[in-house]
Each structure stands twice: as C-alpha cells, then as structure tokens.
C-alpha cells in the first residue's frame, strides 16, 4: 500500500476481491446484550449467596451470582420507580415499594405478585426491613411515619409517629422475643420503639449527622451505628447507652460487625468486637472496637468514582458485598477481603468497545468513567481496570488480541496486557499531549507502535520498547514509561480519528476541520488531503484489501477515497444524523456504519446499496468493532448498552434454501396426489403451503371431476377447523376476480349449508372475511343478473325472428 503502488484502488478492485455475491453479508442478529442492571440504591444478597437483588429504576433485578446473568426483572404494575425493597430472612418473600405508594409482595422465584396494597404513607417509602421471623415488615416513609405490617395475615399492626423528616433507616432487634424496632430520621437520632407497648422507649443521641447503618451482634446485646459524621458508636442494648465512640476519619456509608473469631488476614487476632467500615475513601477498613484502632485497610487505588456507597455481609456464606459510587458491585471473601467477583451495574455512556483475546473471548468497554471494564463473554465475569484518572475516550487492540491500548481525558495513554488466565494488567503508560487524547490506533502488522490524536491538534507516534514485548504479562517495576518518537501538528481543529494502514506505512487522520489527511510513517510526512465533507469527520478507516480510505462525517455521509489521487470514489447517504463509526467487512467489499441516530447500516460498496438497517440502540452508537473472523460485530452506545451482533447471512440463506427444497418436494407430492385423485390430502397439503393460487388449482381439479359437487362437499367438510379458516381467507382473495369467483362461491356454499351460523362466527378472522366477501359477491350477482337479462332478451329476439313456415307446394297433376 505504498504511495507508488501501481494499483489505483478503485471500486473495480474491490469487486474483484469477492468471488461472488455469495460472500456478501445480508444481515446481523443480536446475539447478546450487556445492559445496565443497577442504577443506585439498595443491594442485598440472599442467605445462600447465590442471588443478588438490586434496584434499576422501576425494576428490582435478580442476578445469578455465579454467571452474572439477570434471572428476573420484577416490575410493579404501576411501572413507577422502586423506592425501597427487602428480602425476608428465609429468602421466600420479597416486598417492593414504588413511588406510587403501593407495596407489592412477590413470590420472586416465580416472578409473580402475591399481594398488592396501599402503603398508607402520605409520601414514598424510603426504607423497609423484615423481622427475624419473616412475618413482620417495617416501613419508614418520607412523611416521618413508621408502620409495621403482618405479611402473613396481611394487615397493618403498628403506626409510630414522632420522627421529624424522612425516616431513612429501620431495623428490627435480632431477638424476636424482644419485639424492638430501631429507626433513624433526619434529626440524626436513633429511636427505639416497643411493639408490645406501642411507644418509643428511648431516643439515642450520639451522632450529629445522618445515621447510615445499624448492625447488631449475634447475642443481641450490642448495636453498632455509623454516620456521615465520621464516627461509629457502640451501644449496649441492655442499658440503651453508648459505650464507645470510634472516630474513623471518613464519612461512613455502612458498617458491619464481624464474627467474634480470629481472622489473621484482617488483623483480627483477639476475640473482641471488631467491625468493618465502608465510606468515601473507597477502601474497606477493619477496626478494633475496644481500642478504636484500624487493624487492617485495603490498598487505596487512584481514580475517582471509588467511593463506597453500600456494604453488607451475608453471614452463612461468608461473602461481603460492597458497592462503589460508579455502580460497580464487588464480592469479597469476608475472612480475607480477597476479591471474588466484580459486576458492572451501570456503564453510563459507552464511548468505545473492542473484542479482546486471541479468539475474541472478551470485550473491553470504555464508558463515561476512568475505569475500563473487561467482560468474559462465556462467564459474564467482569474485571474493572483502574489507572486513568479521567474519562477514557478511546480503545484499540493489537493484532494478536492480548495487548490493547487506551487514551483518556487525563492526557495520557496506557497499554494493557491480558494473560492466558484472562487477567488484565497495565504494562505501559505515556503522557505528552497538552489536551484530551481522543483517539488511538495500534500498529497492524506487529506490536511495534501506537498513534494517538488529541484535541491539541497533534498526532504522536509511540514506539513500544522491546523489553515490554519480551516480558511476561506484567512488569515487576510497574508500567513501562513510553516516549513519543514523533509529534506532528496535523489539523486546525480537534483530531477525532486516526487509522494505521494494514502495512504500517501510512497514517490517516480525520478532524473536526472537515478534512482527512494521509501521512507517511514513521516520519509523519504529509502526502495529501481529502476534502469534500460538509462537516467534521468522526472516523477514518483503511480498506483491508484495496488502496481506499473510508471516512464518516457529521454531515450524515460516508465517502470512499482513492489513496493514489485523493479523489472521492463513492458517497453513501442514508443516515439521518452524524455517522460516528465505519468499518470494512466481507474482505473490504462491504461497510458497516453506526450513527448518532442509534442505527447500524450494512452497505455493499459495488452498488452503493444499503443492504440492512439494524436497530438495537436508543442513542448515539460511539463504539463499533468487528471480530477477527468477520462473523461478529460489537457496538456500544450512549444508552449504556453493549450489543454483540452475529452474522446470520449463511444461516438465513440455508433456511431459505431449505424452504425452497421443501416447497419443491411438497409441490411434487401435490401433483402426485391430484393425479391419484386423493383430493382431501391434496387440499390439506395445498393449504399448509399457504399459497392461495395452489389451493385454487386443487379446488378447480376437484370441480373438474364428474362427481364434482359431491367430491367438493366431502373434501371440504373433512378439513380441520384451522384449515377451513385458511380456506375462507383464500376465498376472499379468489372472490375478487370474476374468473375465480365460481370456486370461491362453491366453497362458501358448502360452508354455509353445513356449518351453523354461530359456528362460522367463531372462526378466526371471519368478520374481516365477510367484509371482503360481501361487496364482490353483490357485484358478481349483479353481473350475472345482467347476463341473464341479456340472454333472455336474445332468446326473445330469436323466437321473434323465426320465419313462418312456407306453404306446401301443390302436387303436380
């Protein structure tokens, strides 16, 4: 693909690449979607640790922890947002509360509502909790009221008033015999309610900011409360007094009492009271209650969005669940804080996606976050990669599939490597741009260099050191520092896209200044400019087979350019908005494009035809990538969805061929049946083909039989009801033509004579059939009446035109 190559690179070359039209793709089907399942709010594990419950708008999603798949989505009939939910301790009952002030009780394993009732609160329910026996449910409302419900007998038992503002926390005492309820509201106090006395026993005051969690010891004598005032308080529940205040030096969102047993990996060496906190510093810490010391803390990783918003411990399974501010769910081993699983609950706006791994077994997603998410397509396991300190804007993968690169708003680039076990680590990083790095491209032949484009209007070439490529999966001394080998100012406005040619000798850049440019590598010498788009360019791509460059623009068009003379070869128009990405498929003979209208379009280059429009996104499709085998495509959009597409061209062609073969066999069988005068089977087979003309042929063959009337009645009456319904629909079609109306009327006559009117009215679509039959039938009878009149008149004329008989001649004498 050198500039002096003799090939001109026109579309004729591309037509020769494909051996025939059979290689063209005709359709993609959605194989899988990675969608948001958690948008903030409460999360809860069941007692077995197998299911995870979380809120996503108007639904509560039930996740299978092993696979990461959403098993069920529970949505109330009112379709309002869920404000609170809780799963009973016996894992049998789930109760949800919606903004419409309705409570729904679910048999969640079946996905059905068993009871629906009004919350009676005058404002939405903010929190709820079951008692240890799974029979009582407490709800705290934004109206300051606390209500108790008996979910077995289905009635309200208590109504407690006195809490100022929103009641955001309720919890039952773990000993069901004590019948105590604890609640906290906007005044930062903790109220203790007695269900037996129906009154407030005590108001516990120690916090001076919102109380975020209440947790109890196994014996029920101790309670731990945490707050955003950066303290945790230990309470003696026998005396209802605070026994110790522990400053934790961060705003705490959740605190969990740990089992009173040694856990050396957590710094728990004695059997005293220890607790774990999660807060705005983004790390889990273990504290010794007696001394107030932090005995263990996780290593803090850089980057925003790591604040912890929830934390809960499932005691029977030994799992600890924590949630980050950017909606990532992390499952730890409670005894060692070793990370077991990660789930990405919400990706916000997906900016780029790529297949990863030698066999495209993983996908890497860059969303509106400094973190990268790597999904295993087989197990749905997710790795969350930290390193960038601002939003990651673009990705690209090297040829072998294990090494990939990212660039971000933090003006840096990073190179990541995935080992054979599927674990990803950062192995190199570089910085040098003065503005956001918005696009990146890897070398195509070997893992030798990177090219980046930035808002500072420059392109940088980054060679990868040999030491990086020769080492294993990581670098012991930390990521290798990359140095830019060449820097070139390329455009007058932001550079939105860069692409490296398949031979690594050419570079294309696309900019907001409405032009694309071609450069020689590695010196970045300008070879020429592609001008013709009316608005900025979002994407440039080299053809894998020809001397051709494709550009996608905000003017809604895609253009193909010849690399030899920089002329425009073709223009593709069809998107109603900006075209954001374009990719060559089918060995360079077709294009796949995505736009800000949320659509994907498949184009055949030879005839400028849009073969298919694919619709699975609701917003701008920023990310588009095709697999190595060219049999799958991956898209990511602003609607937070990542969609995996599968090429179904061969499957559809095979299905069509199978249908054609089946039709041929059936047609031959039909001819044989007619020849053998087996009319019943012939008619049934013709109806199964769903071809009115074929059925008409059979009816005509039956009527040509000398005993036609009897044969037709016998055959039609022996049909199944669904066959009669189909036959009635066909009659409507035949009746519109005067040549075929006799067959239609003959069939109708049989049905009307032998089927009761009530029975006929129960036929599927009979009313529509009658509306189609009546006007044409009236027209046929009018035509027959006119013909009969004309025939009668002709007969009259004939009789009147007869000459009188001539007289007989007299006999000769």
């Amino acid at each position: 693909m050198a500039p002096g190559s003799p090939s001109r690179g026109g579309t004729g070359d591309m037509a020769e690449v494909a051996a025939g039209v059979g290689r063209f793709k005709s359709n993609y089907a959605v194989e899988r979607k990675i969608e948001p399942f958690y948008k903030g709010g409460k999360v809860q594990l069941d007692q077995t640790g197998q299911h995870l419950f979380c809120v996503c708008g108007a639904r509560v999603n039930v996740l299978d922890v092993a696979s990461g798949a959403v098993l069920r989505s529970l949505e109330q009939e009112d379709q309002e947002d869920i404000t609170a939910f809780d799963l009973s301790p016996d894992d049998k009952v789930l109760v949800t509360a919606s903004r419409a002030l309705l409570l729904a009780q679910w048999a969640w394993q079946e996905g059905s509502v068993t009871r629906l009732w009004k919350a009676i609160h005058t404002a939405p329910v903010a929190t709820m909790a079951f008692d240890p026996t799974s029979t009582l449910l407490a709800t705290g409302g934004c109206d300051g009221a606390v209500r108790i419900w008996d979910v077995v007998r289905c009635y309200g038992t208590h109504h407690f008033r006195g809490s100022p503002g929103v009641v955001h926390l309720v919890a039952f005492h773990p000993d069901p015999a004590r019948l105590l309820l604890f609640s906290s509201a906007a005044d930062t106090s903790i109220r203790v309610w007695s269900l037996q006395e129906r009154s407030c026993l005590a108001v516990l005051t120690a916090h001076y900011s919102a109380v975020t969690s209440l947790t109890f010891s196994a014996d029920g004598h101790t309670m731990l409360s945490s707050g955003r005032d950066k303290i945790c308080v230990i309470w003696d529940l026998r005396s209802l007094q605070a026994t110790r205040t522990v400053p934790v030096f961060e705003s705490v969102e959740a605190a969990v009492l740990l089992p009173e047993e040694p856990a050396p990996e957590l710094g728990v060496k004695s059997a005293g009271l220890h607790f774990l906190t999660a807060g705005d510093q983004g790390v889990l810490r273990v504290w010794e209650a007696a001394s107030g010391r932090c005995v263990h803390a996780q290593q803090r990783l850089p980057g925003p969005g790591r604040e912890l918003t929830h934390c809960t411990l499932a005691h029977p399974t030994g799992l600890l669940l924590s949630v980050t501010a950017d909606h990532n769910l992390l499952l730890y081993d409670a005894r060692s804080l070793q990370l077991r699983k990660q789930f990405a609950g919400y990706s916000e706006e997906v900016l780029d996606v790529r297949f990863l791994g030698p066999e495209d077994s993983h996908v890497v997603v860059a969303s509106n976050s400094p973190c990268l998410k790597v999904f295993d397509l087989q197990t749905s396991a997710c790795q969350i990669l930290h390193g960038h300190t601002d939003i990651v804007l673009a990705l690209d993968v090297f040829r072998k599939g294990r090494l990939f690169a990212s660039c971000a708003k933090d003006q840096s680039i990073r190179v990541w490597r995935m080992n054979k076990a599927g674990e990803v680590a950062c192995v190199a990083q570089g910085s040098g741009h003065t503005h956001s790095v918005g696009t990146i491209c890897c070398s195509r032949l070997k893992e030798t260099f990177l090219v980046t484009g930035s808002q500072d209007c420059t392109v940088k070439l980054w060679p990868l050191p040999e030491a990086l490529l020769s080492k294993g999966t990581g670098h012991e001394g930390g990521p290798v520092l990359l140095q830019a080998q060449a820097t070139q100012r390329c455009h007058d406005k932001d550079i939105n896209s860069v692409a490296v040619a398949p031979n690594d000798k050419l570079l294309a850049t696309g900019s907001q200044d409405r032009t694309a440019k071609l450069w020689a590598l590695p010196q970045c010498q300008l070879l020429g400019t592609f001008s013709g788009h009316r608005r900025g360019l979002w994407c440039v791509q080299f053809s894998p087979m020809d001397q051709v460059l494709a550009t996608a623009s905000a003017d809604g068009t895609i253009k193909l350019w010849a690399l030899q003379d920089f002329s425009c070869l073709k223009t593709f128009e069809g998107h109603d908005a900006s075209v954001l990405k374009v990719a060559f498929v089918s060995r360079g003979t077709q294009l796949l494009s995505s736009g800000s209208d949320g659509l994907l379009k498949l184009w055949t280059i030879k005839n400028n035809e849009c073969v298919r429009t694919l619709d699975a996104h609701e917003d701008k499709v920023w990310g588009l990538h095709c697999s190595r085998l060219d049999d799958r495509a991956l898209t990511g959009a602003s609607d937070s969805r990542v969609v995996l597409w599968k090429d179904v061209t061969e499957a559809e062609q095979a299905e069509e061929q199978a249908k054609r073969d089946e039709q041929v066999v059936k047609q031959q069988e039909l001819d044989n049946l007619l020849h053998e005068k087996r009319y019943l089977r012939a008619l049934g087979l013709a109806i199964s083909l769903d071809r009115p003309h074929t059925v008409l042929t059979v009816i005509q063959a039956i009527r040509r039989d000398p005993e036609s009337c009897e044969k037709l009645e016998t055959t039609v009456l022996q049909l199944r009801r669904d066959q009669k319904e189909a036959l009635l629909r066909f009659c409507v079609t035949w009746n519109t033509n005067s040549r075929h109306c006799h067959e239609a009327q003959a069939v109708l006559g049989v049905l009307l004579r032998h089927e009761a009117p009530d029975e006929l009215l129960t036929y599927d679509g009979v009313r529509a059939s009658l509306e189609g039959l009546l006007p044409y039938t009236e027209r046929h009878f009018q035509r027959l009446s006119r013909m009969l009149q004309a025939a009668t008149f002709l007969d009259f004329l004939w009789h009147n035109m007869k000459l009188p008989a001539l007289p007989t001649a007299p006999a000769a004498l």
Side-chain angles (χ1 to χ4, degrees):
M1 198 173 284
S5 171
S7 172
R8 186 161 185 231
T11 53
D13 300 329
M14 283 179 279
E16 292 170 6
V17 170
V21 179
R23 289 191 181 180
F24 290 157
K25 300 181 188 302
S26 62
N27 197 11
Y28 285 87
V30 175
E31 183 179 359
R32 183 176 171 189
K33 290 183 180 181
I34 301 175
E35 296 184 281
F37 61 82
Y38 171 67
K39 294 184 178 179
K42 182 177 178 177
V43 290
Q44 187 175 358
L45 281 168
D46 66 358
Q47 296 298 315
T48 64
Q50 296 177 353
H51 301 99
L52 188 149
F53 299 77
C54 57
V55 179
C56 186
R59 305 187 304 275
V60 171
N61 286 326
V62 185
L63 263 74
D64 179 58
V65 172
S67 66
V70 176
L71 296 179
R72 286 176 188 81
S73 284
L74 310 177
E75 184 175 1
Q76 293 186 193
E77 291 181 3
D78 52 43
Q79 296 183 341
E80 293 282 347
D81 284 352
I82 301 295
T83 58
F85 79 90
D86 198 47
L87 179 68
S88 62
D90 60 8
D91 291 341
K92 293 182 179 178
V93 178
L94 180 78
V95 176
T96 59
S98 73
R99 201 169 289 280
L101 306 182
L102 288 176
L103 296 174
Q105 183 175 323
W106 297 82
W108 63 270
Q109 292 175 324
E110 290 80 32
S112 59
V113 176
T114 57
R115 183 186 167 213
L116 191 68
W117 75 98
K118 290 183 179 179
I120 308 181
H121 289 275
T122 58
V125 175
T127 182
M128 63 172 64
F130 273 96
D131 80 324
T133 65
S134 302
T135 57
L136 298 178
L137 176 74
T139 58
C142 295
D143 55 359
V146 176
R147 291 182 177 272
I148 311 292
W149 308 87
D150 188 320
V151 294
V152 177
R153 298 182 181 138
C154 306
Y155 68 95
T157 62
H158 297 75
H159 181 196
F160 297 126
R161 300 184 187 88
S163 302
V166 176
V167 178
H168 56 261
L169 201 59
V170 290
F172 280 96
H173 191 279
D175 183 0
R178 297 190 63 175
L179 290 175
L180 294 179
L181 177 72
F182 298 80
S183 70
S184 181
D187 63 349
T188 74
S189 300
I190 302 169
R191 285 175 168 76
V192 185
W193 307 90
S194 170
L195 273 62
Q196 288 178 325
E197 300 178 12
R198 295 179 176 270
S199 63
C200 179
L201 289 183
V203 178
L204 311 181
T205 55
H207 292 277
Y208 52 88
S209 187
V211 178
T212 55
S213 69
L214 298 174
T215 181
F216 303 89
S217 61
D219 59 12
H221 299 325
T222 306
M223 180 177 74
L224 172 70
S225 64
S226 65
R228 297 196 178 108
D229 50 9
K230 303 184 179 182
I231 62 171
C232 289
V233 181
I234 310 293
W235 303 87
D236 185 341
L237 295 183
R238 289 166 292 192
S239 62
L240 296 178
Q241 296 293 322
T243 59
R244 185 167 186 85
T245 299
V246 180
V248 294
F249 311 109
E250 69 170 330
S251 178
V252 181
E253 293 298 327
V256 176
L257 278 171
L258 296 175
E260 294 191 29
E261 55 188 37
E265 294 183 46
L266 301 182
V268 180
K269 298 176 182 177
S270 62
L273 197 64
H274 291 76
F275 62 91
L276 180 143
T277 59
D280 60 5
Q281 291 187 12
V283 295
L284 298 173
R285 301 172 189 269
V286 180
W287 303 80
E288 186 178 51
S291 63
R293 287 187 310 112
C294 177
V295 296
H296 178 78
Q298 283 182 316
Q299 181 182 357
R300 185 172 183 179
L301 297 175
R306 298 187 56 82
E307 299 88 351
L308 298 176
T309 58
H310 291 82
C311 185
T312 180
L313 176 64
H315 287 284
T317 59
L319 287 176
L320 184 76
L321 172 65
S322 68
V323 184
T324 65
D326 52 4
H327 306 112
N328 296 323
L329 285 71
L330 312 176
L331 274 173
Y332 295 95
D333 185 302
R335 293 185 58 81
S336 62
L337 290 189
Q338 292 293 319
L339 186 61
R340 291 269 193 89
K341 275 186 176 291
Q342 302 179 78
F343 301 108
Y346 184 56
S347 293
E348 296 189 31
E349 190 172 4
V350 177
L351 301 179
D352 209 353
V353 289
R354 286 290 186 275
F355 282 105
L356 198 58
E359 298 177 354
D360 297 329
S361 57
H362 294 67
V363 296
V364 56
V365 178
S367 57
N368 200 18
S369 162
C371 304
L372 290 172
K373 301 176 180 71
V374 178
F375 295 91
D376 187 326
L377 291 177
Q378 282 191 335
T379 64
S380 298
C382 173
Q383 296 176 64
I384 299 166
L385 309 180
H386 300 277
H388 286 287
T389 57
D390 208 338
I391 294 171
V392 179
L393 297 175
L395 301 165
D396 200 21
V397 181
F398 284 95
R399 184 164 164 257
K400 293 182 180 178
R402 291 200 182 277
L403 207 63
F404 69 97
S406 61
C407 60
K409 280 188 175 181
D410 60 9
Q411 305 173 15
S412 75
I413 66 170
R414 284 181 176 262
V415 180
W416 311 79
R417 188 191 298 276
M418 184 176 73
N419 64 16
K420 293 183 179 179
E423 298 170 349
V424 180
C426 179
V427 293
Q429 62 180 1
S431 58
H433 283 286
T434 58
H435 286 81
S436 298
V437 187
T439 178
I440 192 165
C441 188
C442 302
S443 55
R444 294 301 174 212
L445 286 179
K446 296 180 180 179
E447 299 172 343
T448 52
F449 66 88
L450 296 166
V451 178
T452 56
S454 168
Q455 284 185 358
D456 60 14
C457 305
T458 66
V459 161
K460 287 184 182 289
L461 180 69
W462 308 80
L464 296 187
E466 300 237 352
L468 172 67
L469 302 177
S470 63
K471 291 189 180 289
T473 57
H475 192 65
E476 293 178 358
V480 174
L481 292 178
L482 301 178
Q483 297 293 330
Q485 174 183 327
T487 301
Q488 177 68 47
R489 182 177 174 86
C490 297
H491 293 272
D492 297 327
K493 291 186 178 179
D494 298 358
I495 297 173
N496 292 330
S497 179
V498 293
V500 176
N503 62 2
D504 285 351
K505 293 181 179 179
L506 296 176
L507 171 70
T509 58
S511 169
Q512 205 64 33
D513 64 8
R514 300 181 290 181
T515 66
K517 293 184 179 182
L518 189 67
W519 309 82
L521 292 176
Q523 295 84 11
C524 289
Q525 296 171 336
L526 180 64
L527 300 176
T529 302
F530 306 95
S531 301
H533 282 292
R534 300 186 304 275
R535 297 185 67 183
L537 274 66
W538 283 113
C539 185
V540 292
Q541 279 294 339
F542 284 100
S543 168
M545 305 299 291
D546 299 280
Q547 304 256 331
V548 172
L549 182 77
T551 57
S553 169
D555 62 13
T557 65
I558 303 161
K559 289 182 182 290
L560 290 184
W561 309 84
L563 298 184
Q564 286 286 348
D565 55 10
F566 307 102
S567 61
C568 180
L569 300 172
K570 283 183 178 289
T571 300
F572 300 87
E573 298 181 353
H575 282 280
D576 294 331
S578 300
V579 186
L580 302 177
K581 279 286 191 296
V582 64
F584 283 91
V585 294
S586 305
R587 297 184 65 198
T589 60
Q590 290 183 292
L591 293 171
L592 193 61
S593 62
S594 66
S596 58
D597 50 9
L599 300 176
L600 270 75
K601 289 184 179 288
L602 178 64
W603 310 83
T604 298
I605 293 174
K606 183 178 180 181
N607 54 15
N608 274 50
E609 179 189 2
C610 178
V611 180
R612 188 77 60 175
T613 298
L614 308 171
D615 187 4
H617 291 285
E618 298 174 357
D619 210 340
K620 303 178 183 67
V621 184
W622 289 110
L624 170 65
H625 191 222
C626 297
S627 64
R628 282 174 180 73
L629 298 178
D630 201 24
D631 60 342
R632 293 189 296 174
L634 187 67
T635 56
S638 296
D639 59 5
S640 305
R641 290 181 187 151
V642 175
V643 179
L644 183 65
W645 303 85
K646 184 179 181 180
D647 177 14
V648 293
T649 303
E650 290 187 8
E652 287 186 347
Q653 289 175 350
E655 187 178 344
E656 284 296 321
Q657 186 61 42
K659 284 183 179 178
R660 286 194 292 269
D661 294 345
E662 185 182 359
Q663 293 281 351
V664 170
V665 172
K666 285 187 174 180
Q667 187 64 47
Q668 183 61 50
E669 185 182 354
L670 181 63
D671 294 341
N672 295 339
L673 290 172
L674 288 175
H675 181 71
E676 297 168 6
K677 296 187 178 183
R678 296 166 64 184
Y679 294 125
L680 178 61
R681 285 199 60 188
L683 189 59
L685 181 59
I687 291 172
S688 70
L689 291 171
D690 196 26
R691 291 192 301 204
H693 184 70
T694 305
V695 180
L696 177 65
T697 305
V698 177
I699 297 291
Q700 289 172 339
I702 296 173
R703 296 189 71 221
R704 281 197 297 269
D705 191 282
E707 303 171 355
S708 61
C709 182
E710 183 183 345
K711 289 277 186 184
L712 184 63
E713 281 194 10
T714 305
T715 306
V716 170
L717 293 175
Q718 286 180 331
L719 294 174
R720 300 192 309 270
R721 172 166 170 165
D722 61 316
Q723 292 175 325
K724 291 178 183 177
E725 291 172 350
L727 194 58
L728 186 59
R729 290 197 304 272
F730 296 158
C731 286
V732 176
T733 305
W734 305 335
N735 199 48
T736 59
N737 191 323
S738 59
R739 286 181 299 176
H740 305 144
C741 65
H742 303 288
E743 286 77 11
Q745 294 298 325
V747 172
L748 281 174
V750 172
L751 292 175
L752 290 172
R753 282 195 302 271
H754 295 88
E755 295 280 349
D758 293 341
E759 178 69 20
L760 283 173
L761 286 173
T762 61
Y763 278 21
D764 186 32
V766 68
R767 297 187 185 279
S769 298
L770 287 174
E771 289 175 3
L773 284 167
L774 285 172
Y776 283 98
T777 301
E778 289 176 359
R779 192 178 302 175
H780 295 322
F781 274 102
Q782 289 171 3
R783 178 171 53 80
L784 290 172
S785 297
R786 290 194 301 270
M787 187 181 296
L788 184 62
Q789 290 174 0
T792 305
F793 181 66
L794 188 65
D795 188 54
F796 171 75
L797 284 177
W798 169 249
H799 283 291
N800 280 282
M801 287 173 64
K802 281 186 178 180
L803 294 174
L806 292 173
T808 343
L813 295 174

